[in-house]
Amino acid sequence: MKTQFWCGKRVLLTGHTGFKGAWLTLWLSGMGAHVTGISLPPISSPNLFSLAEVSDRCDSHFCDITDGVALHDLVQRAKPDILFHFAAQSLVRPSYREPIATFATNVMGTVNVLDALRGLDSIKAAIMITTDKVYYNNEWSWPYRESDTLGGHDPYSASKAASEIVVTSYRDAFLRQQGVAVATARAGNVIGGGDWSEDRLIPDAIRCWQSGQALTVRRPQSVRPWQHVLEPLSGYLTLAEHLYCRPEIAGAYNFGPETHEAATVREIIEMARMFYGEGIVQYGDGSDGPHEAGCLALEIAKARNVLGYKPRWPLKEAVGRTVVWYRRQHQGGRTDVLCEQEIAAFEAAQ
């Protein structure tokens, strides 16, 4: 990742009010990029977008990506060099409650974003963020590669797998001939300060422990590719830089930890409790709630070989930094400063 590459670049970021989008907006702004954000208003309270005053770092617009006409107008006015598409319904359990809205946002919203790029002279690269859950889950013990079968049991996973097919179609039918390099980025479970969404493991733990309540963990044995939020974001930035100069590498890319660092939910919580210093946890037997994948890990060899990508912070450091961030913020630390310090530490770890 080259800081000087981003200075002066016009970057459009959908979903800039979300957890990952807010972090990336702060990072891009700090590198001198001109960021335009398009998103719904933040849905959680508190939220990173508001506390870190992210709107001061970008040209911020509230717009539903399912409104193709309004979205098209904003994209045309922004004239981006590079697009990052984060906007999504991004949670598994809510997707069971609202499957139609989930498919509308994650499939047709993606169609609208890609269609707004047609005929846009400025755009050179588009990174469409999906998820590690796009793979048809066989509950096997080895990590998924970009060539493995797509699928999804729950509406969230299925909608994201469907969006991958949409991206491939638009790349092959329209955008490649236009000179736009389009890639999808499939990242693992992210942790890090500033996430207050529902059904997120560390945020749920912090909320419970700060209020003196017990944390209930539904599926302690589920295995996920956990990583600090700055890890995939650095991968997305690196991918964008390479696509800008090497459009022939467009395609799908996994971003996650080293294979041996995939961990169970119980392991993550016990690490977090160690760093927090206290906290009551009640572990379930895995039978509560709708179906979710039991074992999921990502193979990152393609990103390593093509992009030179490699994770920087081991799992224990990622968990420790996350817990410390929340503690410092709870004690009155400025949210934007805490994020800037974390980004500086990550950049220094190269």
Side-chain angles (χ1 to χ4, degrees), residues 20-274:
K20 289 168 75 176
W23 269 101
L24 187 57
T25 301
L26 292 171
W27 201 347
L28 285 166
S29 174
M31 293 188 292
H34 302 297
V35 182
T36 297
I38 299 175
S39 181
L40 292 175
I43 60 173
S44 70
S45 181
N47 61 82
L48 182 60
F49 177 80
S50 299
L51 290 175
E53 299 179 332
V54 174
S55 61
D56 292 344
R57 312 289 187 97
C58 65
D59 182 14
S60 179
H61 301 272
F62 292 154
C63 174
D64 191 331
I65 61 170
T66 62
D67 184 343
V69 175
L71 177 67
H72 183 273
D73 181 61
L74 288 172
V75 172
Q76 293 293 313
R77 286 158 50 190
K79 294 183 171 56
D81 302 308
I82 296 170
L83 164 77
F84 293 98
H85 174 47
F86 285 93
Q89 194 300 96
S90 58
L91 298 169
V92 172
R93 283 162 65 88
S95 79
Y96 280 104
R97 297 194 297 267
E98 298 183 338
I100 294 175
T102 297
F103 279 101
T105 298
N106 294 350
V107 179
M108 287 310 301
T110 298
V111 170
N112 289 337
V113 170
L114 290 166
D115 204 65
L117 303 182
R118 295 175 61 190
L120 186 64
D121 294 337
S122 63
I123 189 75
K124 299 299 180 186
I127 294 80
M128 314 297 289
I129 313 304
T130 60
T131 174
D132 55 357
K133 297 174 182 63
V134 298
Y135 296 107
Y136 181 83
N137 195 289
N138 294 286
E139 300 293 355
W140 56 33
S141 58
W142 52 87
Y144 291 91
R145 301 167 297 176
E146 290 86 349
S147 57
D148 284 325
T149 302
L150 301 179
H153 181 281
D154 59 90
Y156 167 69
S157 301
S159 68
K160 281 297 196 175
S163 75
E164 289 269 355
I165 297 173
V166 167
V167 173
T168 299
S169 172
Y170 263 81
R171 180 175 56 233
D172 294 346
F174 306 113
L175 296 175
R176 179 181 287 123
Q177 296 92 314
Q178 189 178 312
V180 185
V182 183
T184 57
R186 306 164 180 174
N189 288 49
V190 295
I191 58 177
D195 188 3
W196 283 280
S197 302
E198 65 170 317
D199 284 335
R200 299 284 201 203
L201 184 62
I202 299 296
D204 285 349
I206 296 296
R207 274 190 289 263
C208 288
W209 296 342
Q210 285 178 347
S211 62
Q213 299 177 348
L215 170 70
T216 300
V217 178
R218 300 188 310 274
R219 292 181 169 85
Q221 298 310 311
S222 294
V223 176
R224 295 290 186 270
W226 309 93
Q227 56 188 330
H228 192 278
V229 62
L230 295 180
E231 299 282 9
L233 295 185
S234 73
Y236 305 160
L237 291 168
T238 300
L239 176 58
E241 293 171 16
H242 281 264
L243 287 174
Y244 196 88
C245 302
R246 301 167 57 203
E248 70 276 6
I249 67 167
Y253 289 84
N254 287 340
F255 295 100
E258 300 292 355
T259 302
H260 70 275
E261 292 242 90
T264 66
V265 169
R266 181 188 288 268
E267 289 170 327
I268 294 295
I269 285 300
E270 291 305 322
M271 280 187 204
R273 183 158 60 170
M274 177 189 69

Side-chain angles (χ1 to χ4, degrees), residues 46 196 202-215 276 278-280 322-332:
W196 283 280
I202 299 296
D204 285 349
I206 296 296
R207 274 190 289 263
C208 288
W209 296 342
Q210 285 178 347
S211 62
Q213 299 177 348
L215 170 70
Y276 194 79
E278 58 181 329
I280 302 171
T322 300
V323 173
V324 169
W325 192 101
Y326 281 109
R327 186 180 292 280
R328 289 177 176 170
Q329 196 275 338
H330 186 64
Q331 292 171 344

